[in-house]
Amino acid sequence: GIVLYGKTINTGDAETMSVKIYDMFGRTISSEIVNIANGEFSISLADAHLTTGMYMMVATLNEQQYTKRVIVK
């Protein structure tokens, strides 16, 4: 399965954040609340059944959104 690892900065007191994965048509593929430990997080996409292509990961932390492209080969 696919596991994404990331590092956050300026988490403040936050221990969790919302992470959503969208396909290029804007459909929600995955939506999870992930734990943050020492500024790091991971999200498993094993159940998302991602096919080859590009996706957008949108993380919401402390009322701010961060967007990153994810490419599956």
Side-chain angles (χ1 to χ4, degrees), residues 14-67:
E15 296 178 0
T16 62
M17 72 178 170
S18 166
V19 177
K20 295 183 179 183
I21 306 292
Y22 297 95
D23 67 11
M24 296 315 295
F25 297 105
R27 295 179 295 214
T28 302
I29 303 299
S30 176
S31 179
E32 294 188 36
I33 301 295
V34 297
N35 293 319
I36 303 171
N38 298 322
E40 297 180 349
F41 68 92
S42 66
I43 180 171
S44 174
L45 299 175
D47 295 333
H49 305 292
L50 299 180
T51 57
T52 300
M54 187 168 27
Y55 299 86
M56 299 301 290
M57 179 180 81
V58 178
T60 304
L61 176 66
N62 295 331
E63 298 181 17
Q64 293 189 341
Q65 285 191 338
Y66 305 90
T67 303

